[in-house]
Amino acid sequence: MKREKIAFALQGGGAHGAYTWGILEKLLEEDLLDIRGFSGTSVGAVTSALIVHGLQKNGNRGAIDLLETFWQEVSASSAFATPAATWFGNNFFYGNLDYTPWYQSFNYMINHFSPYQFNPLGINPLKIILEKMIDFEELQESKIKLFVAATKVKNGALKVFCLPEINLNALLASTCLPYLTQSIEVDGEYYWDGGYTGNPPIYPLIYGTDSKDIMLIQLNPILRTELPESVTEIANRINEISFNASLESEMRMLVKGFDIAGKTKDHFFQLIAVDNPFKVLNYSSKLNTSWEFLSKLRTQGREAAELWLKKEFSFVGKSSSPLIKKMFSSMEEGWLHEMIHKPATHLKEFPIGRSTHAEHKTNTESSIQ
């Protein structure tokens, strides 16, 4: 059976990246896709690099094994560095940590002290893991394209690292949450997490790979049906909106079939969205690296991939998933209304120099009479 060309766009989301792990593990096992490239941010960047390197070493099996080893290492190394998760918390609080005194203390610390204060030596467990698992010189020879997003601290601009410039510090830059770790220097420039400016960048896959199909694997829900009211719910929703803003900006144009220059592009977009598994999770769970919680997300990811293979795989190479249009087209319509149509109509009804307040008052009085 012919494998379909595809490129992956992987969002960041801390420990929730185990969901992406399960998805990609299942897809690699089925071996129905010819992977042409990755664009990733934060944990999505790390996952992308691990898969690319694993494919170099031993094909699909190499990528599968490297992913599992990575998450085992993460769970083991952070057991004493992040808020504790217990069986009770993982099962009765779904993996959220905000109920624990340890998390409350941890949250107080990162909100009152910077990583330059509580971690002056800049110790980063992720650095140790990646140094051990990835041969960056070998990675730089990969035929599979790899793009990694980071944010320039000084001007807030997006930086997309690509091979062969991707090294250890480039990956660490993409994962650098500024209230947890010190900024990462790469060639004299300082970087924070790429999620602030590209989560993940889509355009590099359009211009930098030969795949017409791009699959987005989400970790941050775009839509929520319930109004956040508690402090935790509000903080969680702010995080989701902030880390989706850049993606929504790109997808508004792309779902209409246009590239960044306004020219028509013939690409198809596929999607595995976050749905039921993430409705009950809040921001605190992104720090939950207990093996029990990671394994649960991995299983849910595998189930999501299996469902996608049954219902959506047939779209690859032929058309975009209907889910893409449903999710992003309404945003484009809303954006056009608020940014263009509504102001233009307003100007037509109330030309410059005419008081809108007086006009509105006159119209109101007339209607009453």
CSV table of all heavy atoms in Angstrom, one decimal, residues 16-23 25-26 29 64 67-68 72 291-304:
chain,number,residue,atom,x,y,z
A,16,HIS,N,1.3,17.5,28.8
A,16,HIS,CA,0.2,17.1,27.8
A,16,HIS,C,0.8,16.5,26.5
A,16,HIS,O,0.1,15.9,25.7
A,16,HIS,CB,-0.7,18.2,27.5
A,16,HIS,CG,-1.5,18.6,28.7
A,16,HIS,ND1,-2.5,19.6,28.7
A,16,HIS,CD2,-1.5,18.2,30.0
A,16,HIS,CE1,-3.0,19.7,29.9
A,16,HIS,NE2,-2.5,18.9,30.7
A,17,GLY,N,2.1,16.8,26.3
A,17,GLY,CA,2.8,16.2,25.1
A,17,GLY,C,2.8,14.7,25.1
A,17,GLY,O,3.0,14.1,24.0
A,18,ALA,N,2.5,14.1,26.2
A,18,ALA,CA,2.3,12.6,26.2
A,18,ALA,C,1.1,12.2,25.4
A,18,ALA,O,1.1,11.0,24.9
A,18,ALA,CB,2.2,12.1,27.7
A,19,TYR,N,0.2,13.0,25.2
A,19,TYR,CA,-1.0,12.8,24.3
A,19,TYR,C,-0.5,12.7,22.9
A,19,TYR,O,-0.8,11.8,22.1
A,19,TYR,CB,-2.0,13.9,24.5
A,19,TYR,CG,-3.3,13.8,23.7
A,19,TYR,CD1,-4.2,12.8,23.9
A,19,TYR,CD2,-3.5,14.7,22.6
A,19,TYR,CE1,-5.4,12.7,23.2
A,19,TYR,CE2,-4.7,14.6,21.9
A,19,TYR,CZ,-5.6,13.6,22.2
A,19,TYR,OH,-6.8,13.6,21.4
A,20,THR,N,0.4,13.6,22.5
A,20,THR,CA,1.0,13.6,21.2
A,20,THR,C,1.8,12.3,21.0
A,20,THR,O,1.8,11.7,19.9
A,20,THR,CB,1.9,14.8,20.9
A,20,THR,OG1,1.1,16.0,21.2
A,20,THR,CG2,2.4,14.9,19.6
A,21,TRP,N,2.5,12.0,22.0
A,21,TRP,CA,3.3,10.7,22.0
A,21,TRP,C,2.5,9.6,21.6
A,21,TRP,O,2.8,8.8,20.7
A,21,TRP,CB,4.0,10.5,23.4
A,21,TRP,CG,4.5,9.2,23.7
A,21,TRP,CD1,5.1,8.3,22.8
A,21,TRP,CD2,4.6,8.5,25.0
A,21,TRP,NE1,5.5,7.1,23.5
A,21,TRP,CE2,5.2,7.3,24.8
A,21,TRP,CE3,4.2,8.9,26.3
A,21,TRP,CZ2,5.4,6.4,25.9
A,21,TRP,CZ3,4.4,8.1,27.3
A,21,TRP,CH2,5.0,6.8,27.1
A,22,GLY,N,1.3,9.4,22.3
A,22,GLY,CA,0.4,8.3,22.0
A,22,GLY,C,-0.1,8.3,20.5
A,22,GLY,O,-0.1,7.3,19.9
A,23,ILE,N,-0.4,9.5,20.1
A,23,ILE,CA,-0.9,9.6,18.7
A,23,ILE,C,0.2,9.2,17.7
A,23,ILE,O,-0.1,8.4,16.8
A,23,ILE,CB,-1.3,11.1,18.4
A,23,ILE,CG1,-2.5,11.5,19.2
A,23,ILE,CG2,-1.5,11.3,16.9
A,23,ILE,CD1,-2.9,13.0,19.1
A,25,GLU,N,2.9,7.5,18.2
A,25,GLU,CA,3.3,6.1,18.4
A,25,GLU,C,2.4,5.2,17.6
A,25,GLU,O,2.9,4.3,16.8
A,25,GLU,CB,3.2,5.7,19.9
A,25,GLU,CG,3.6,4.3,20.2
A,25,GLU,CD,3.5,4.0,21.6
A,25,GLU,OE1,2.4,4.2,22.2
A,25,GLU,OE2,4.5,3.6,22.2
A,26,LYS,N,1.1,5.4,17.7
A,26,LYS,CA,0.1,4.6,16.9
A,26,LYS,C,0.3,4.8,15.4
A,26,LYS,O,0.3,3.8,14.7
A,26,LYS,CB,-1.3,5.0,17.3
A,26,LYS,CG,-2.4,4.3,16.6
A,26,LYS,CD,-2.4,2.8,16.9
A,26,LYS,CE,-3.6,2.1,16.2
A,26,LYS,NZ,-3.5,0.6,16.4
A,29,GLU,N,3.3,2.9,14.2
A,29,GLU,CA,3.1,1.5,14.2
A,29,GLU,C,2.3,1.1,12.9
A,29,GLU,O,2.6,0.0,12.3
A,29,GLU,CB,2.3,1.1,15.4
A,29,GLU,CG,3.1,1.1,16.7
A,29,GLU,CD,2.3,0.9,17.9
A,29,GLU,OE1,1.0,0.7,17.8
A,29,GLU,OE2,2.8,0.8,19.1
A,64,ILE,N,9.8,5.1,17.8
A,64,ILE,CA,8.8,4.7,18.8
A,64,ILE,C,9.6,4.4,20.1
A,64,ILE,O,9.2,4.9,21.2
A,64,ILE,CB,8.1,3.4,18.4
A,64,ILE,CG1,7.1,3.7,17.3
A,64,ILE,CG2,7.4,2.7,19.6
A,64,ILE,CD1,6.6,2.4,16.6
A,67,LEU,N,10.9,7.8,21.8
A,67,LEU,CA,9.8,8.5,22.5
A,67,LEU,C,9.5,7.9,23.8
A,67,LEU,O,9.4,8.7,24.8
A,67,LEU,CB,8.6,8.5,21.6
A,67,LEU,CG,8.5,9.5,20.4
A,67,LEU,CD1,7.2,9.3,19.7
A,67,LEU,CD2,8.6,10.9,20.9
A,68,GLU,N,9.4,6.6,23.9
A,68,GLU,CA,9.1,6.0,25.2
A,68,GLU,C,10.2,6.2,26.2
A,68,GLU,O,9.9,6.5,27.4
A,68,GLU,CB,8.8,4.5,25.0
A,68,GLU,CG,8.5,3.8,26.4
A,68,GLU,CD,7.9,2.5,26.2
A,68,GLU,OE1,7.9,1.9,25.1
A,68,GLU,OE2,7.3,1.9,27.2
A,72,GLN,N,10.0,8.2,29.9
A,72,GLN,CA,10.4,7.6,31.1
A,72,GLN,C,11.4,8.4,31.8
A,72,GLN,O,11.4,8.5,33.1
A,72,GLN,CB,11.0,6.2,30.8
A,72,GLN,CG,9.9,5.2,30.3
A,72,GLN,CD,10.6,3.9,29.8
A,72,GLN,OE1,11.7,3.8,29.4
A,72,GLN,NE2,9.8,2.8,29.9
A,291,TRP,N,4.3,8.9,36.0
A,291,TRP,CA,4.2,8.0,35.0
A,291,TRP,C,2.7,7.5,34.8
A,291,TRP,O,2.3,7.3,33.6
A,291,TRP,CB,5.1,6.7,35.3
A,291,TRP,CG,5.1,5.8,34.1
A,291,TRP,CD1,4.6,4.5,34.1
A,291,TRP,CD2,5.7,6.0,32.8
A,291,TRP,NE1,4.8,3.9,32.9
A,291,TRP,CE2,5.5,4.8,32.1
A,291,TRP,CE3,6.3,7.1,32.2
A,291,TRP,CZ2,5.9,4.7,30.7
A,291,TRP,CZ3,6.7,7.0,30.9
A,291,TRP,CH2,6.5,5.8,30.2
A,292,GLU,N,2.0,7.5,35.8
A,292,GLU,CA,0.6,7.1,35.7
A,292,GLU,C,-0.2,8.1,34.8
A,292,GLU,O,-1.0,7.7,34.0
A,292,GLU,CB,-0.1,7.0,37.1
A,292,GLU,CG,-1.5,6.6,37.1
A,292,GLU,CD,-2.1,6.5,38.5
A,292,GLU,OE1,-1.6,7.1,39.4
A,292,GLU,OE2,-3.2,5.9,38.6
A,293,PHE,N,0.0,9.4,35.1
A,293,PHE,CA,-0.7,10.4,34.3
A,293,PHE,C,-0.2,10.4,32.8
A,293,PHE,O,-1.0,10.5,31.9
A,293,PHE,CB,-0.5,11.8,34.9
A,293,PHE,CG,-1.1,12.9,34.2
A,293,PHE,CD1,-2.5,13.0,34.1
A,293,PHE,CD2,-0.4,13.9,33.6
A,293,PHE,CE1,-3.2,14.0,33.5
A,293,PHE,CE2,-1.0,14.9,32.9
A,293,PHE,CZ,-2.4,15.0,32.9
A,294,LEU,N,1.1,10.3,32.6
A,294,LEU,CA,1.7,10.3,31.3
A,294,LEU,C,1.1,9.1,30.5
A,294,LEU,O,0.8,9.2,29.3
A,294,LEU,CB,3.2,10.3,31.3
A,294,LEU,CG,3.9,11.5,32.0
A,294,LEU,CD1,5.4,11.3,32.0
A,294,LEU,CD2,3.5,12.8,31.2
A,295,SER,N,1.1,8.0,31.2
A,295,SER,CA,0.6,6.7,30.5
A,295,SER,C,-0.9,6.9,30.1
A,295,SER,O,-1.3,6.4,29.1
A,295,SER,CB,0.8,5.5,31.4
A,295,SER,OG,2.1,5.3,31.7
A,296,LYS,N,-1.7,7.6,31.0
A,296,LYS,CA,-3.1,7.8,30.7
A,296,LYS,C,-3.2,8.6,29.4
A,296,LYS,O,-4.0,8.3,28.5
A,296,LYS,CB,-3.8,8.4,31.8
A,296,LYS,CG,-5.3,8.6,31.7
A,296,LYS,CD,-5.9,9.4,32.8
A,296,LYS,CE,-5.8,8.6,34.1
A,296,LYS,NZ,-6.5,9.4,35.2
A,297,LEU,N,-2.5,9.7,29.3
A,297,LEU,CA,-2.5,10.6,28.2
A,297,LEU,C,-2.0,9.8,26.9
A,297,LEU,O,-2.6,10.0,25.8
A,297,LEU,CB,-1.6,11.8,28.4
A,297,LEU,CG,-2.2,12.9,29.4
A,297,LEU,CD1,-1.2,14.0,29.5
A,297,LEU,CD2,-3.5,13.4,29.0
A,298,ARG,N,-1.0,9.0,27.1
A,298,ARG,CA,-0.5,8.2,25.9
A,298,ARG,C,-1.6,7.3,25.4
A,298,ARG,O,-1.8,7.2,24.2
A,298,ARG,CB,0.7,7.4,26.4
A,298,ARG,CG,1.2,6.4,25.4
A,298,ARG,CD,2.1,5.4,26.1
A,298,ARG,NE,2.9,4.6,25.3
A,298,ARG,CZ,3.8,3.6,25.7
A,298,ARG,NH1,3.9,3.4,27.0
A,298,ARG,NH2,4.4,2.9,24.8
A,299,THR,N,-2.3,6.6,26.3
A,299,THR,CA,-3.4,5.8,25.9
A,299,THR,C,-4.5,6.6,25.2
A,299,THR,O,-5.0,6.1,24.1
A,299,THR,CB,-4.0,5.0,27.1
A,299,THR,OG1,-3.0,4.2,27.7
A,299,THR,CG2,-5.2,4.2,26.7
A,300,GLN,N,-4.8,7.7,25.7
A,300,GLN,CA,-5.9,8.6,25.1
A,300,GLN,C,-5.4,9.0,23.7
A,300,GLN,O,-6.2,9.2,22.8
A,300,GLN,CB,-6.2,9.7,26.0
A,300,GLN,CG,-6.9,9.3,27.2
A,300,GLN,CD,-7.0,10.4,28.3
A,300,GLN,OE1,-6.3,11.4,28.2
A,300,GLN,NE2,-7.9,10.3,29.2
A,301,GLY,N,-4.1,9.3,23.6
A,301,GLY,CA,-3.6,9.7,22.3
A,301,GLY,C,-3.6,8.6,21.3
A,301,GLY,O,-4.0,8.8,20.1
A,302,ARG,N,-3.3,7.4,21.7
A,302,ARG,CA,-3.4,6.2,20.8
A,302,ARG,C,-4.9,6.0,20.3
A,302,ARG,O,-5.1,5.7,19.2
A,302,ARG,CB,-2.9,5.0,21.5
A,302,ARG,CG,-1.4,4.9,21.7
A,302,ARG,CD,-1.0,3.7,22.4
A,302,ARG,NE,-1.3,2.5,21.6
A,302,ARG,CZ,-0.5,2.0,20.7
A,302,ARG,NH1,0.7,2.5,20.4
A,302,ARG,NH2,-0.9,0.9,20.0
A,303,GLU,N,-5.8,6.2,21.2
A,303,GLU,CA,-7.2,6.1,20.9
A,303,GLU,C,-7.6,7.2,19.9
A,303,GLU,O,-8.4,6.9,18.9
A,303,GLU,CB,-8.1,6.2,22.1
A,303,GLU,CG,-7.9,5.0,23.1
A,303,GLU,CD,-8.6,5.2,24.4
A,303,GLU,OE1,-9.0,6.3,24.7
A,303,GLU,OE2,-8.6,4.2,25.2
A,304,ALA,N,-7.1,8.4,20.1
A,304,ALA,CA,-7.5,9.5,19.1
A,304,ALA,C,-6.9,9.2,17.8
A,304,ALA,O,-7.5,9.5,16.7
A,304,ALA,CB,-6.9,10.8,19.7
